[in-house]
Amino acid sequence: TMTVDNVRPRRLLNVVMGFFLALFGGITFAFILEYLDDSFKKPDDVERELGVPVLAAIARPKGRGFFGKRISARQCGLHKGPGGWALPPAVREQYKGLSDAIIGPHSHDAPHRCLVVTSSAVGEGASTIATNLAFTLAASGSSRVLLIDAQISRPSLHETLGCPQSPGMVDLLNE
């Protein structure tokens, strides 16, 4: 027969079982997240899955530019020096590689070229890439560059470059 004295909590058994259950649950959760993750990790993944070449790999500034958070010109790599705006050498080389891949060696053959930089979601870095690419192309001296911020709902280049927002593209189109 059972008495009240025979029933007591087994603390050590409960702690050990809780530990292993939590460990098993955490590992299972990690495997499920990894299985469901369909993002690209390396440029080779993009080329293999989509069948398109990767033009360049641009490093994102560490700890900056997360979804919806605007970043300053300094965080983009731009800084204003005695000779005007400039990019650090490492960043400049990344964007030089991108501009060479986009424009190619025959940039003088096409006098009027239009390049659109866009993204599918806020915070993916389209404005940062457009700004740095525009400065790289302008610094090369091979072409004139006009940078237009066509984000009607969330323009950001005026903040990045420290320019007044008005008159903007909508103001010019309304005239």
Side-chain angles (χ1 to χ4, degrees), residues 51-83:
V52 295
V54 174
L55 298 178
I58 306 293
R60 178 188 293 249
K62 297 253 186 243
R64 299 182 185 111
F66 292 107
F67 291 96
K69 182 180 176 188
R70 299 196 190 249
I71 58 178
S72 68
R74 182 164 295 286
Q75 292 167 331
C76 292
L78 288 171
H79 63 278
K80 202 165 194 174

PDB file of all heavy atoms in Angstrom, residues 51-83:
ATOM      1  N   GLY A  51      21.685  30.329 -61.311  1.00  0.00           N
ATOM      2  CA  GLY A  51      22.284  30.265 -62.637  1.00  0.00           C
ATOM      3  C   GLY A  51      22.692  31.616 -63.188  1.00  0.00           C
ATOM      4  O   GLY A  51      22.773  31.793 -64.400  1.00  0.00           O
ATOM      5  N   VAL A  52      22.949  32.574 -62.320  1.00  0.00           N
ATOM      6  CA  VAL A  52      23.398  33.895 -62.749  1.00  0.00           C
ATOM      7  C   VAL A  52      24.750  34.185 -62.103  1.00  0.00           C
ATOM      8  O   VAL A  52      25.019  33.738 -60.986  1.00  0.00           O
ATOM      9  CB  VAL A  52      22.377  35.008 -62.381  1.00  0.00           C
ATOM     10  CG1 VAL A  52      21.092  34.820 -63.132  1.00  0.00           C
ATOM     11  CG2 VAL A  52      22.131  35.052 -60.896  1.00  0.00           C
ATOM     12  N   PRO A  53      25.602  34.940 -62.782  1.00  0.00           N
ATOM     13  CA  PRO A  53      26.909  35.239 -62.189  1.00  0.00           C
ATOM     14  C   PRO A  53      26.799  36.290 -61.086  1.00  0.00           C
ATOM     15  O   PRO A  53      25.929  37.155 -61.122  1.00  0.00           O
ATOM     16  CB  PRO A  53      27.714  35.780 -63.372  1.00  0.00           C
ATOM     17  CG  PRO A  53      26.683  36.336 -64.290  1.00  0.00           C
ATOM     18  CD  PRO A  53      25.464  35.472 -64.129  1.00  0.00           C
ATOM     19  N   VAL A  54      27.677  36.204 -60.119  1.00  0.00           N
ATOM     20  CA  VAL A  54      27.782  37.211 -59.061  1.00  0.00           C
ATOM     21  C   VAL A  54      28.756  38.274 -59.559  1.00  0.00           C
ATOM     22  O   VAL A  54      29.897  37.956 -59.912  1.00  0.00           O
ATOM     23  CB  VAL A  54      28.274  36.579 -57.745  1.00  0.00           C
ATOM     24  CG1 VAL A  54      28.527  37.648 -56.699  1.00  0.00           C
ATOM     25  CG2 VAL A  54      27.255  35.569 -57.236  1.00  0.00           C
ATOM     26  N   LEU A  55      28.304  39.516 -59.606  1.00  0.00           N
ATOM     27  CA  LEU A  55      29.158  40.592 -60.113  1.00  0.00           C
ATOM     28  C   LEU A  55      30.225  40.999 -59.106  1.00  0.00           C
ATOM     29  O   LEU A  55      31.358  41.267 -59.473  1.00  0.00           O
ATOM     30  CB  LEU A  55      28.306  41.803 -60.485  1.00  0.00           C
ATOM     31  CG  LEU A  55      27.278  41.582 -61.594  1.00  0.00           C
ATOM     32  CD1 LEU A  55      26.477  42.844 -61.826  1.00  0.00           C
ATOM     33  CD2 LEU A  55      27.959  41.126 -62.869  1.00  0.00           C
ATOM     34  N   ALA A  56      29.842  41.070 -57.831  1.00  0.00           N
ATOM     35  CA  ALA A  56      30.785  41.462 -56.784  1.00  0.00           C
ATOM     36  C   ALA A  56      30.196  41.096 -55.433  1.00  0.00           C
ATOM     37  O   ALA A  56      28.985  40.934 -55.301  1.00  0.00           O
ATOM     38  CB  ALA A  56      31.062  42.960 -56.842  1.00  0.00           C
ATOM     39  N   ALA A  57      31.063  40.983 -54.453  1.00  0.00           N
ATOM     40  CA  ALA A  57      30.630  40.754 -53.068  1.00  0.00           C
ATOM     41  C   ALA A  57      31.038  41.976 -52.266  1.00  0.00           C
ATOM     42  O   ALA A  57      32.221  42.290 -52.149  1.00  0.00           O
ATOM     43  CB  ALA A  57      31.269  39.498 -52.500  1.00  0.00           C
ATOM     44  N   ILE A  58      30.028  42.674 -51.741  1.00  0.00           N
ATOM     45  CA  ILE A  58      30.267  43.888 -50.967  1.00  0.00           C
ATOM     46  C   ILE A  58      30.021  43.569 -49.496  1.00  0.00           C
ATOM     47  O   ILE A  58      28.943  43.104 -49.130  1.00  0.00           O
ATOM     48  CB  ILE A  58      29.327  45.031 -51.405  1.00  0.00           C
ATOM     49  CG1 ILE A  58      29.417  45.280 -52.912  1.00  0.00           C
ATOM     50  CG2 ILE A  58      29.594  46.294 -50.607  1.00  0.00           C
ATOM     51  CD1 ILE A  58      30.730  45.824 -53.386  1.00  0.00           C
ATOM     52  N   ALA A  59      31.007  43.826 -48.665  1.00  0.00           N
ATOM     53  CA  ALA A  59      30.866  43.548 -47.231  1.00  0.00           C
ATOM     54  C   ALA A  59      29.943  44.578 -46.591  1.00  0.00           C
ATOM     55  O   ALA A  59      30.033  45.775 -46.877  1.00  0.00           O
ATOM     56  CB  ALA A  59      32.229  43.577 -46.556  1.00  0.00           C
ATOM     57  N   ARG A  60      29.051  44.113 -45.731  1.00  0.00           N
ATOM     58  CA  ARG A  60      28.148  45.005 -44.993  1.00  0.00           C
ATOM     59  C   ARG A  60      28.892  45.538 -43.773  1.00  0.00           C
ATOM     60  O   ARG A  60      29.603  44.785 -43.118  1.00  0.00           O
ATOM     61  CB  ARG A  60      26.923  44.232 -44.529  1.00  0.00           C
ATOM     62  CG  ARG A  60      25.952  45.054 -43.703  1.00  0.00           C
ATOM     63  CD  ARG A  60      24.864  44.189 -43.122  1.00  0.00           C
ATOM     64  NE  ARG A  60      24.015  43.673 -44.164  1.00  0.00           N
ATOM     65  CZ  ARG A  60      22.754  44.057 -44.337  1.00  0.00           C
ATOM     66  NH1 ARG A  60      22.224  44.917 -43.522  1.00  0.00           N
ATOM     67  NH2 ARG A  60      22.035  43.559 -45.294  1.00  0.00           N
ATOM     68  N   PRO A  61      28.712  46.825 -43.453  1.00  0.00           N
ATOM     69  CA  PRO A  61      29.354  47.338 -42.234  1.00  0.00           C
ATOM     70  C   PRO A  61      28.880  46.545 -41.021  1.00  0.00           C
ATOM     71  O   PRO A  61      27.697  46.262 -40.885  1.00  0.00           O
ATOM     72  CB  PRO A  61      28.874  48.794 -42.152  1.00  0.00           C
ATOM     73  CG  PRO A  61      28.426  49.125 -43.525  1.00  0.00           C
ATOM     74  CD  PRO A  61      27.971  47.848 -44.156  1.00  0.00           C
ATOM     75  N   LYS A  62      29.795  46.154 -40.168  1.00  0.00           N
ATOM     76  CA  LYS A  62      29.455  45.321 -39.016  1.00  0.00           C
ATOM     77  C   LYS A  62      28.499  46.052 -38.078  1.00  0.00           C
ATOM     78  O   LYS A  62      28.711  47.191 -37.717  1.00  0.00           O
ATOM     79  CB  LYS A  62      30.713  44.965 -38.239  1.00  0.00           C
ATOM     80  CG  LYS A  62      31.670  44.144 -39.060  1.00  0.00           C
ATOM     81  CD  LYS A  62      31.678  42.733 -38.595  1.00  0.00           C
ATOM     82  CE  LYS A  62      32.728  41.952 -39.322  1.00  0.00           C
ATOM     83  NZ  LYS A  62      32.280  40.908 -40.119  1.00  0.00           N
ATOM     84  N   GLY A  63      27.407  45.364 -37.712  1.00  0.00           N
ATOM     85  CA  GLY A  63      26.470  45.889 -36.723  1.00  0.00           C
ATOM     86  C   GLY A  63      25.630  47.057 -37.199  1.00  0.00           C
ATOM     87  O   GLY A  63      25.025  47.739 -36.401  1.00  0.00           O
ATOM     88  N   ARG A  64      25.609  47.298 -38.504  1.00  0.00           N
ATOM     89  CA  ARG A  64      24.863  48.440 -39.014  1.00  0.00           C
ATOM     90  C   ARG A  64      23.985  48.009 -40.164  1.00  0.00           C
ATOM     91  O   ARG A  64      24.217  47.002 -40.802  1.00  0.00           O
ATOM     92  CB  ARG A  64      25.819  49.518 -39.494  1.00  0.00           C
ATOM     93  CG  ARG A  64      26.713  50.033 -38.408  1.00  0.00           C
ATOM     94  CD  ARG A  64      27.596  51.126 -38.967  1.00  0.00           C
ATOM     95  NE  ARG A  64      28.534  51.546 -37.964  1.00  0.00           N
ATOM     96  CZ  ARG A  64      29.827  51.317 -38.022  1.00  0.00           C
ATOM     97  NH1 ARG A  64      30.336  50.680 -39.028  1.00  0.00           N
ATOM     98  NH2 ARG A  64      30.613  51.726 -37.067  1.00  0.00           N
ATOM     99  N   GLY A  65      22.995  48.833 -40.457  1.00  0.00           N
ATOM    100  CA  GLY A  65      22.184  48.625 -41.632  1.00  0.00           C
ATOM    101  C   GLY A  65      21.166  47.512 -41.502  1.00  0.00           C
ATOM    102  O   GLY A  65      20.796  46.905 -42.478  1.00  0.00           O
ATOM    103  N   PHE A  66      20.696  47.259 -40.300  1.00  0.00           N
ATOM    104  CA  PHE A  66      19.660  46.257 -40.158  1.00  0.00           C
ATOM    105  C   PHE A  66      18.347  46.823 -40.666  1.00  0.00           C
ATOM    106  O   PHE A  66      18.191  48.026 -40.829  1.00  0.00           O
ATOM    107  CB  PHE A  66      19.533  45.819 -38.695  1.00  0.00           C
ATOM    108  CG  PHE A  66      20.735  45.071 -38.225  1.00  0.00           C
ATOM    109  CD1 PHE A  66      21.630  45.646 -37.353  1.00  0.00           C
ATOM    110  CD2 PHE A  66      20.995  43.805 -38.702  1.00  0.00           C
ATOM    111  CE1 PHE A  66      22.746  44.969 -36.941  1.00  0.00           C
ATOM    112  CE2 PHE A  66      22.115  43.109 -38.292  1.00  0.00           C
ATOM    113  CZ  PHE A  66      22.988  43.691 -37.407  1.00  0.00           C
ATOM    114  N   PHE A  67      17.378  45.969 -40.912  1.00  0.00           N
ATOM    115  CA  PHE A  67      16.131  46.356 -41.560  1.00  0.00           C
ATOM    116  C   PHE A  67      15.524  47.596 -40.930  1.00  0.00           C
ATOM    117  O   PHE A  67      15.278  47.638 -39.736  1.00  0.00           O
ATOM    118  CB  PHE A  67      15.136  45.200 -41.519  1.00  0.00           C
ATOM    119  CG  PHE A  67      15.546  44.071 -42.399  1.00  0.00           C
ATOM    120  CD1 PHE A  67      16.229  42.989 -41.886  1.00  0.00           C
ATOM    121  CD2 PHE A  67      15.299  44.114 -43.754  1.00  0.00           C
ATOM    122  CE1 PHE A  67      16.638  41.965 -42.702  1.00  0.00           C
ATOM    123  CE2 PHE A  67      15.706  43.093 -44.580  1.00  0.00           C
ATOM    124  CZ  PHE A  67      16.376  42.016 -44.059  1.00  0.00           C
ATOM    125  N   GLY A  68      15.281  48.600 -41.749  1.00  0.00           N
ATOM    126  CA  GLY A  68      14.600  49.806 -41.310  1.00  0.00           C
ATOM    127  C   GLY A  68      15.504  50.837 -40.661  1.00  0.00           C
ATOM    128  O   GLY A  68      15.099  51.956 -40.450  1.00  0.00           O
ATOM    129  N   LYS A  69      16.736  50.504 -40.327  1.00  0.00           N
ATOM    130  CA  LYS A  69      17.622  51.451 -39.651  1.00  0.00           C
ATOM    131  C   LYS A  69      18.487  52.168 -40.684  1.00  0.00           C
ATOM    132  O   LYS A  69      19.206  51.545 -41.443  1.00  0.00           O
ATOM    133  CB  LYS A  69      18.514  50.706 -38.658  1.00  0.00           C
ATOM    134  CG  LYS A  69      19.434  51.618 -37.885  1.00  0.00           C
ATOM    135  CD  LYS A  69      20.285  50.816 -36.925  1.00  0.00           C
ATOM    136  CE  LYS A  69      21.272  51.727 -36.226  1.00  0.00           C
ATOM    137  NZ  LYS A  69      22.231  50.974 -35.449  1.00  0.00           N
ATOM    138  N   ARG A  70      18.386  53.470 -40.702  1.00  0.00           N
ATOM    139  CA  ARG A  70      19.179  54.241 -41.650  1.00  0.00           C
ATOM    140  C   ARG A  70      20.611  54.354 -41.139  1.00  0.00           C
ATOM    141  O   ARG A  70      20.844  54.416 -39.948  1.00  0.00           O
ATOM    142  CB  ARG A  70      18.590  55.625 -41.826  1.00  0.00           C
ATOM    143  CG  ARG A  70      17.191  55.545 -42.373  1.00  0.00           C
ATOM    144  CD  ARG A  70      16.756  56.879 -42.894  1.00  0.00           C
ATOM    145  NE  ARG A  70      15.353  56.809 -43.182  1.00  0.00           N
ATOM    146  CZ  ARG A  70      14.865  56.840 -44.402  1.00  0.00           C
ATOM    147  NH1 ARG A  70      15.656  56.944 -45.416  1.00  0.00           N
ATOM    148  NH2 ARG A  70      13.574  56.768 -44.596  1.00  0.00           N
ATOM    149  N   ILE A  71      21.546  54.399 -42.086  1.00  0.00           N
ATOM    150  CA  ILE A  71      22.934  54.532 -41.689  1.00  0.00           C
ATOM    151  C   ILE A  71      23.504  55.791 -42.307  1.00  0.00           C
ATOM    152  O   ILE A  71      23.058  56.261 -43.350  1.00  0.00           O
ATOM    153  CB  ILE A  71      23.763  53.287 -42.079  1.00  0.00           C
ATOM    154  CG1 ILE A  71      23.716  53.026 -43.571  1.00  0.00           C
ATOM    155  CG2 ILE A  71      23.288  52.076 -41.337  1.00  0.00           C
ATOM    156  CD1 ILE A  71      24.552  51.845 -44.006  1.00  0.00           C
ATOM    157  N   SER A  72      24.475  56.355 -41.643  1.00  0.00           N
ATOM    158  CA  SER A  72      25.043  57.624 -42.081  1.00  0.00           C
ATOM    159  C   SER A  72      26.077  57.405 -43.180  1.00  0.00           C
ATOM    160  O   SER A  72      26.472  56.278 -43.472  1.00  0.00           O
ATOM    161  CB  SER A  72      25.702  58.329 -40.892  1.00  0.00           C
ATOM    162  OG  SER A  72      26.841  57.594 -40.494  1.00  0.00           O
ATOM    163  N   ALA A  73      26.530  58.507 -43.752  1.00  0.00           N
ATOM    164  CA  ALA A  73      27.535  58.428 -44.806  1.00  0.00           C
ATOM    165  C   ALA A  73      28.807  57.785 -44.275  1.00  0.00           C
ATOM    166  O   ALA A  73      29.438  56.975 -44.953  1.00  0.00           O
ATOM    167  CB  ALA A  73      27.834  59.831 -45.339  1.00  0.00           C
ATOM    168  N   ARG A  74      29.209  58.108 -43.055  1.00  0.00           N
ATOM    169  CA  ARG A  74      30.417  57.525 -42.469  1.00  0.00           C
ATOM    170  C   ARG A  74      30.268  56.008 -42.323  1.00  0.00           C
ATOM    171  O   ARG A  74      31.196  55.260 -42.576  1.00  0.00           O
ATOM    172  CB  ARG A  74      30.725  58.167 -41.129  1.00  0.00           C
ATOM    173  CG  ARG A  74      32.009  57.611 -40.512  1.00  0.00           C
ATOM    174  CD  ARG A  74      32.545  58.465 -39.401  1.00  0.00           C
ATOM    175  NE  ARG A  74      32.987  59.770 -39.813  1.00  0.00           N
ATOM    176  CZ  ARG A  74      34.105  60.025 -40.498  1.00  0.00           C
ATOM    177  NH1 ARG A  74      34.870  59.041 -40.868  1.00  0.00           N
ATOM    178  NH2 ARG A  74      34.442  61.243 -40.812  1.00  0.00           N
ATOM    179  N   GLN A  75      29.088  55.558 -41.932  1.00  0.00           N
ATOM    180  CA  GLN A  75      28.864  54.123 -41.790  1.00  0.00           C
ATOM    181  C   GLN A  75      28.863  53.431 -43.157  1.00  0.00           C
ATOM    182  O   GLN A  75      29.198  52.262 -43.252  1.00  0.00           O
ATOM    183  CB  GLN A  75      27.557  53.860 -41.056  1.00  0.00           C
ATOM    184  CG  GLN A  75      27.607  54.288 -39.602  1.00  0.00           C
ATOM    185  CD  GLN A  75      26.242  54.333 -38.960  1.00  0.00           C
ATOM    186  OE1 GLN A  75      25.240  54.575 -39.626  1.00  0.00           O
ATOM    187  NE2 GLN A  75      26.203  54.107 -37.668  1.00  0.00           N
ATOM    188  N   CYS A  76      28.466  54.141 -44.198  1.00  0.00           N
ATOM    189  CA  CYS A  76      28.507  53.581 -45.554  1.00  0.00           C
ATOM    190  C   CYS A  76      29.938  53.428 -46.039  1.00  0.00           C
ATOM    191  O   CYS A  76      30.194  52.728 -47.005  1.00  0.00           O
ATOM    192  CB  CYS A  76      27.787  54.498 -46.546  1.00  0.00           C
ATOM    193  SG  CYS A  76      26.047  54.611 -46.326  1.00  0.00           S
ATOM    194  N   GLY A  77      30.850  54.110 -45.388  1.00  0.00           N
ATOM    195  CA  GLY A  77      32.231  54.097 -45.837  1.00  0.00           C
ATOM    196  C   GLY A  77      32.657  55.467 -46.345  1.00  0.00           C
ATOM    197  O   GLY A  77      33.832  55.757 -46.464  1.00  0.00           O
ATOM    198  N   LEU A  78      31.688  56.327 -46.655  1.00  0.00           N
ATOM    199  CA  LEU A  78      32.007  57.663 -47.145  1.00  0.00           C
ATOM    200  C   LEU A  78      32.479  58.549 -46.004  1.00  0.00           C
ATOM    201  O   LEU A  78      31.967  58.474 -44.903  1.00  0.00           O
ATOM    202  CB  LEU A  78      30.771  58.309 -47.765  1.00  0.00           C
ATOM    203  CG  LEU A  78      30.300  57.763 -49.102  1.00  0.00           C
ATOM    204  CD1 LEU A  78      28.947  58.358 -49.443  1.00  0.00           C
ATOM    205  CD2 LEU A  78      31.300  58.079 -50.168  1.00  0.00           C
ATOM    206  N   HIS A  79      33.441  59.381 -46.289  1.00  0.00           N
ATOM    207  CA  HIS A  79      33.831  60.413 -45.329  1.00  0.00           C
ATOM    208  C   HIS A  79      34.273  61.647 -46.109  1.00  0.00           C
ATOM    209  O   HIS A  79      34.750  61.545 -47.228  1.00  0.00           O
ATOM    210  CB  HIS A  79      34.934  59.911 -44.386  1.00  0.00           C
ATOM    211  CG  HIS A  79      36.207  59.561 -45.078  1.00  0.00           C
ATOM    212  ND1 HIS A  79      36.397  58.348 -45.695  1.00  0.00           N
ATOM    213  CD2 HIS A  79      37.347  60.265 -45.263  1.00  0.00           C
ATOM    214  CE1 HIS A  79      37.607  58.318 -46.226  1.00  0.00           C
ATOM    215  NE2 HIS A  79      38.192  59.458 -45.987  1.00  0.00           N
ATOM    216  N   LYS A  80      34.043  62.779 -45.498  1.00  0.00           N
ATOM    217  CA  LYS A  80      34.361  64.037 -46.165  1.00  0.00           C
ATOM    218  C   LYS A  80      35.753  64.469 -45.729  1.00  0.00           C
ATOM    219  O   LYS A  80      35.990  64.726 -44.563  1.00  0.00           O
ATOM    220  CB  LYS A  80      33.317  65.085 -45.808  1.00  0.00           C
ATOM    221  CG  LYS A  80      33.236  66.203 -46.796  1.00  0.00           C
ATOM    222  CD  LYS A  80      31.965  66.992 -46.608  1.00  0.00           C
ATOM    223  CE  LYS A  80      31.746  67.872 -47.808  1.00  0.00           C
ATOM    224  NZ  LYS A  80      30.485  68.556 -47.774  1.00  0.00           N
ATOM    225  N   GLY A  81      36.653  64.501 -46.667  1.00  0.00           N
ATOM    226  CA  GLY A  81      38.025  64.908 -46.383  1.00  0.00           C
ATOM    227  C   GLY A  81      38.316  66.257 -46.995  1.00  0.00           C
ATOM    228  O   GLY A  81      37.421  66.946 -47.482  1.00  0.00           O
ATOM    229  N   PRO A  82      39.588  66.645 -46.998  1.00  0.00           N
ATOM    230  CA  PRO A  82      39.944  67.959 -47.554  1.00  0.00           C
ATOM    231  C   PRO A  82      39.630  68.087 -49.037  1.00  0.00           C
ATOM    232  O   PRO A  82      39.300  69.151 -49.518  1.00  0.00           O
ATOM    233  CB  PRO A  82      41.452  68.064 -47.308  1.00  0.00           C
ATOM    234  CG  PRO A  82      41.895  66.777 -46.736  1.00  0.00           C
ATOM    235  CD  PRO A  82      40.705  65.932 -46.459  1.00  0.00           C
ATOM    236  N   GLY A  83      39.676  66.970 -49.771  1.00  0.00           N
ATOM    237  CA  GLY A  83      39.406  67.026 -51.201  1.00  0.00           C
ATOM    238  C   GLY A  83      37.972  66.683 -51.557  1.00  0.00           C
ATOM    239  O   GLY A  83      37.656  66.487 -52.715  1.00  0.00           O
TER     240      GLY A  83
END
